[in-house]
């Protein structure tokens, strides 16, 4: 069997109502030289039954016990045969030209070995588009460590990476949150990135999202751990940026506490932000 150009990795856990929509958005791509690797991370709903209905030979399903989304992505990467890896979360969707445009961009680029695209958020209950990501944040390209360490502006379902890059930076860590940001920081420390300003991914907003229900301090600690890991992996790249990046995390956590009507905790976080970055 010929090696596909792209391996599409779709981790899923109890997303029976969404995963087939995600897969169908890949099967509708104008670019057809790909394989789809769906990694079921120990689902207990009807996910496996729905996946069994696919007869397209490009769709491969791997079942594992429940570990984590990051580990499920690693399982997919290990099984991938493509030159490039594209990630798609099982509750998101792709526009039909996503793979074609992104693959063409990477093949033509001389110095970029990974890329990401703009995306749009849409409401699950209505299907209405809410906003495009580039309306709320700047999407950077080229050498991005100084920007990426401040804020993760790269959505997982928009990313395509040359598979060989993982030999240099490693795979996803089993972190409680922000496993994607952790990998992007490692990639950014070694490789320039391309970006497409066209919104090629639909990011579904719904109540079952992994980030729902997390406390501000939990998110804060997870983000600090990612920053510490980036410093450990690439100290020459990130050391000089560390204090400002941590200060930004304290400021963002202060905002989250304010939105939760906890001004005393917000004030404490803001004080620490100011100390770190005058």
């Amino acid at each position: 069997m010929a090696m596909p150009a792209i391996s599409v990795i779709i981790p899923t856990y109890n997303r029976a109502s969404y995963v087939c929509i995600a897969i169908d958005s890949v099967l509708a791509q104008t670019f057809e030289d790909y394989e789809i690797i769906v990694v079921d991370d120990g689902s207990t709903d009807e996910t496996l039954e729905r996946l069994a209905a696919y007869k397209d030979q490009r769709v491969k399903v791997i079942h594992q016990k429940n570990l984590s989304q990051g580990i499920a992505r690693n399982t997919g990467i290990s099984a991938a045969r493509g030159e490039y890896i594209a990630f798609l979360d099982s509750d998101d969707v792709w526009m039909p030209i996503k793979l074609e445009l992104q693959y063409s961009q990477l093949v033509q680029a001389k110095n970029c070995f990974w890329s990401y695209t703009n995306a749009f958020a849409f409401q699950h209950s209505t299907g209405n588009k809410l906003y495009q990501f580039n309306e709320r944040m700047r999407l950077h390209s080229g050498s991005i460590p100084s920007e990426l360490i401040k804020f993760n502006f790269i959505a997982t379902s928009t990313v395509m990476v040359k598979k060989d890059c993982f030999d240099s930076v490693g795979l996803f860590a089993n972190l409680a949150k922000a496993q994607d940001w952790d990998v992007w920081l490692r990639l950014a420390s070694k490789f320039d990135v391309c970006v497409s300003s066209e919104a090629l991914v639909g990011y579904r907003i719904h109540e079952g999202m992994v980030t729902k229900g997390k406390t501000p301090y939990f998110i804060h600690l997870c983000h600090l751990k990612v920053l510490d890991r980036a410093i450990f992996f690439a100290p020459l790249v990130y050391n000089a940026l560390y204090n400002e990046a941590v200060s930004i995390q304290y400021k963002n956590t202060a905002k989250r506490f304010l939105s939760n009507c906890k001004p005393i905790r917000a004030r404490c976080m803001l004080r620490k932000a100011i100390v770190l970055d005058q």
Side-chain angles (χ1 to χ4, degrees):
M1 184 181 294
M3 304 281 277
I6 302 170
S7 295
V8 180
I9 310 299
I10 307 177
T12 189
Y13 173 69
N14 286 349
R15 291 278 169 79
S17 57
Y18 303 143
V19 65
C20 292
I21 301 173
I23 294 171
D24 291 345
S25 77
V26 182
L27 294 174
Q29 292 292 300
T30 55
F31 183 92
E32 297 182 343
D33 188 12
Y34 59 79
E35 64 177 354
I36 302 173
I37 302 175
V38 184
V39 183
D40 176 65
D41 193 37
S43 293
T44 56
D45 62 359
E46 299 175 355
T47 294
L48 282 177
E49 290 83 348
R50 298 197 182 188
L51 293 175
Y54 284 95
K55 305 305 178 186
D56 193 310
Q57 292 187 349
R58 292 174 296 180
V59 181
K60 177 181 180 181
V61 178
I62 299 174
H63 179 70
Q64 65 181 30
K65 66 179 182 179
N66 183 241
L67 296 171
S68 73
Q69 193 174 49
I71 301 304
R73 291 194 187 105
N74 292 344
T75 299
I77 294 169
S78 298
R81 298 180 300 120
E83 181 182 7
Y84 291 92
I85 304 291
F87 297 107
L88 175 59
D89 287 347
S90 59
D91 50 352
D92 295 337
V93 294
W94 284 349
M95 298 301 98
I97 59 172
K98 196 262 187 188
L99 286 184
E100 181 180 350
L101 291 184
Q102 202 166 11
Y103 180 76
S104 175
Q105 182 186 47
L106 276 176
V107 168
Q108 293 175 24
K110 293 182 179 180
N111 300 318
C112 294
F113 297 95
W114 64 303
S115 71
Y116 70 105
T117 78
N118 192 11
F120 64 89
F122 69 97
Q123 188 66 48
H124 166 66
S125 57
T126 63
N128 293 336
K129 291 184 180 181
L130 301 175
Y131 56 87
Q132 288 195 10
F133 281 28
N134 65 347
E135 295 170 351
R136 296 194 168 189
M137 65 191 89
R138 184 178 174 188
L139 306 180
H140 301 268
S141 62
S143 178
I144 62 170
S146 62
E147 300 300 333
L148 187 61
I149 197 171
K150 299 174 187 175
F151 176 71
N152 182 19
F153 47 83
I154 300 176
T156 305
S157 294
T158 71
V159 172
M160 185 183 292
V161 187
K162 195 164 187 180
K163 187 181 178 183
D164 291 349
C165 292
F166 291 108
D167 295 334
S168 298
V169 304
L171 300 176
F172 288 84
N174 191 16
L175 302 176
K177 189 182 183 300
Q179 310 102 322
D180 54 349
W181 190 23
D182 177 63
V183 174
W184 310 156
L185 283 166
R186 281 182 268 139
L187 282 167
S189 72
K190 288 182 174 287
F191 307 106
D192 286 357
V193 67
C194 299
V195 63
S196 171
S197 60
E198 191 166 350
L200 301 175
V201 175
Y203 178 77
R204 187 190 305 270
I205 304 296
H206 60 93
E207 287 302 315
M209 296 174 73
V210 174
T211 53
K212 290 282 187 180
K214 304 298 185 184
T215 67
Y217 198 63
F218 173 83
I219 295 171
H220 179 74
L221 292 178
C222 290
H223 286 178
L224 291 186
K225 184 170 185 177
V226 168
L227 295 179
D228 287 342
R229 285 173 55 83
I231 294 292
F232 180 80
F233 181 80
L236 295 179
V237 176
Y238 291 120
N239 260 339
L241 307 168
Y242 183 75
N243 276 4
E244 181 185 5
V246 174
S247 175
I248 289 170
Q249 290 305 317
Y250 276 104
K251 182 178 71 174
N252 290 341
T253 304
K255 291 179 181 177
R256 294 188 190 102
F257 275 128
L258 274 179
S259 68
N260 287 359
C261 299
K262 296 179 179 179
I264 296 176
R265 292 189 179 184
R267 191 178 299 117
C268 177
M269 288 291 168
L270 191 56
R271 240 186 242 115
K272 291 181 178 180
I274 294 170
V275 169
L276 281 163
D277 186 1
Q278 296 295 320

